[in-house]
Amino acid sequence: MFAGLESDERQHIEEYCQQHGIQDLLQGLVDEYLDERPSLKPRQHFAQQLRLQLMKEKADETDDHSMVASISSAAKVPGHALKRLFEASKKITSEIVPKDTIDVIIEESLKLLNCDRLSLFIYDKKIDMLVLNASNLQTPIRVKSGQGIAGHVFKTQQVVNIPNCYKDARFDQTFDMKTGYRTSNLLAMPIVDFEGEAMGVIQAINKLELDSPGFSVVDEILLDNLTEHVSVALRNAEVYRAAIVTSERANALLSMLQSLSEDLGAQSLILGVSTHASELVRADRCSVFLVDERREELFSVASDSGKEIRIPKSVGIAGECATENKLIVIDDAYADPRFNSAFDKQTGYRTQSIIAVPVKRPPTHDTACAVIQMINKTEFDGEIGKFDEEDVKVLETYATFVATKLSQSSLVSGNSHRPSLPEQEFPHDSHHHPHHRRGSALAAQAGKEMIFEGDEEEAEA
């Protein structure tokens, strides 16, 4: 019975192989490999040959004789090109620091493809955008994940090779018109990880060869192989960056716990809470507001003068956070009706992302004794991003740690008997506010930046 089933199965397999020409295909690949004895490993060589055959069949179907000729000439990738590919792959995978990894990918890709410019688009899930790093850019810029040719390549995971950009409807001439640069040809290829998920796009511009029709099939093969190593390098850099962030946050928590054990004055306490919050979560600005339940106000204290600055508890995002004792996360301030843009308009500052975390009064935790508010999450590339779930968890944990210390402060427990300062002492154009700014050289500067807030967002920013 078993032998009969095995024989039937063998017959089905033989018929299937004969029907699809599998034996001839394998024999041809093996014979060619043994004849040429290339430096590539069998699996890489077979994959390359199969890709070439598929491209040739596609060109035959469209009766594109020039493409057929190009593919035929590319059947054997030059040895010097393979050597460059090996060297580029080795250098790229040896890096782990995010910025250095990006730099070496761009540098090695330029040399491998012999092109004038190269752009590396890396997808950022947090903001759902592609971050563009380019050989001709000093700082990264952001583009929508579906925008332009790179966006199309990212979404579809399809290679785009344009020999004449100005004759292709997909090409946007806006950048060339603004800068005077002329993009003649380009090659864009998706960067795909081992799970088949698109991580970004490599886009090469203007092949540097006299009378060149653009990027060849050989260039496509080289870049296709290189992107496999690029995906590994980018993933390693991502893991490394996450480890650094975790380490920095752990150190900041230890420093915070140590400072909380000290007997600090009111001003030092507020400044310390603000400083440690900014170390835990990268943000442009940070504010700490204490709650005066008796007066229904939020207030803070300048570390240099000891003066109080007060705002009504019923207004603004910090006010809502304190009143309702709830977390508030805003990705786009200008799309939120609670945000007051008056201060931004007055100063030219642009508030984008906001997070307000209540410091819940122990032991019941049913009311807030303070609010920690941060503005404009700062990403590693210096751009403004969104506060994510990890930021929320870290700040809520931090708020739990500092709750006991703040609730025991005379400023909160005694509801601050000092009189409020008149508004005229803090005119709106003085731009002072109890913010800790990451850009300040000294943490003490945070306490000197005070402004009276008619609304909490005016103090923000």
Side-chain angles (χ1 to χ4, degrees), residues 398-414:
Y398 177 63
T400 302
F401 278 120
V402 302
T404 302
K405 192 73 173 181
L406 285 176
S407 63
Q408 293 174 350
S409 169
S410 60
L411 292 174
V412 174
S413 58

Side-chain angles (χ1 to χ4, degrees), residues 237-257:
E238 184 179 310
V239 172
Y240 175 80
R241 180 172 67 178
I244 293 298
V245 170
T246 301
S247 176
E248 289 179 348
R249 284 178 170 174
N251 290 334
L253 280 172
L254 289 174
S255 177
M256 177 269 297
L257 290 173

Side-chain angles (χ1 to χ4, degrees), residues 219-249:
D219 292 320
E220 290 189 28
I221 295 172
L222 292 174
L223 189 56
D224 183 36
N225 281 272
L226 187 69
T227 54
E228 294 181 9
H229 298 280
V230 168
S231 67
V232 173
L234 290 177
R235 189 66 73 198
N236 289 341
E238 184 179 310
V239 172
Y240 175 80
R241 180 172 67 178
I244 293 298
V245 170
T246 301
S247 176
E248 289 179 348
R249 284 178 170 174

Side-chain angles (χ1 to χ4, degrees), residues 39-213:
S39 58
L40 290 175
K41 293 181 179 180
R43 182 181 296 180
Q44 294 174 320
H45 178 76
F46 295 160
Q48 174 180 311
Q49 295 304 312
L50 288 172
R51 280 195 296 266
L52 286 169
Q53 288 182 20
L54 288 173
M55 287 188 288
K56 187 174 181 179
E57 290 173 4
K58 184 177 179 180
D60 285 332
E61 291 173 0
T62 59
D63 199 26
D64 189 347
H65 300 291
S66 61
M67 179 61 72
V68 172
S70 178
I71 292 173
S72 299
S73 64
K76 297 180 180 179
V77 177
H80 64 85
L82 292 175
K83 183 178 180 181
R84 292 203 312 268
L85 174 61
F86 174 75
E87 292 175 348
S89 301
K90 184 170 64 174
K91 289 182 180 179
I92 288 172
T93 53
S94 67
E95 292 293 346
I96 193 171
V97 178
K99 180 64 170 62
D100 294 341
T101 300
I102 291 172
D103 290 343
V104 76
I105 289 172
I106 293 175
E107 180 182 351
E108 293 302 318
S109 299
L110 277 170
K111 291 191 293 185
L112 178 66
L113 299 175
N114 190 28
C115 59
D116 184 45
R117 293 184 177 182
L118 190 125
S119 301
L120 175 63
F121 298 82
I122 303 174
Y123 180 61
D124 189 331
K125 292 182 180 180
K126 294 180 182 179
I127 57 176
D128 189 27
M129 297 187 79
L130 291 168
V131 180
L132 167 59
N133 299 266
S135 56
N136 60 307
L137 292 177
Q138 295 295 324
T139 56
I141 61 175
R142 297 176 176 183
V143 297
K144 295 180 180 178
S145 57
Q147 180 180 341
I149 293 175
H152 169 77
V153 171
F154 175 76
K155 289 291 187 183
T156 63
Q157 295 191 21
Q158 296 178 348
V159 178
V160 171
N161 190 344
I162 304 178
N164 191 328
C165 292
Y166 281 79
K167 290 184 178 181
D168 194 298
R170 295 171 295 181
F171 177 67
D172 184 359
Q173 303 178 19
T174 304
F175 178 81
D176 282 10
M177 294 174 64
K178 288 181 178 179
T179 63
Y181 185 81
R182 183 173 180 83
T183 304
S184 299
N185 45 73
L186 67 81
L187 170 63
M189 187 166 292
I191 302 170
V192 183
D193 65 12
F194 60 92
E195 295 179 341
E197 182 178 350
M199 300 177 64
V201 175
I202 289 184
Q203 182 173 278
I205 297 174
N206 288 352
K207 184 75 174 177
L208 293 177
E209 291 180 3
L210 293 176
D211 302 322
S212 172

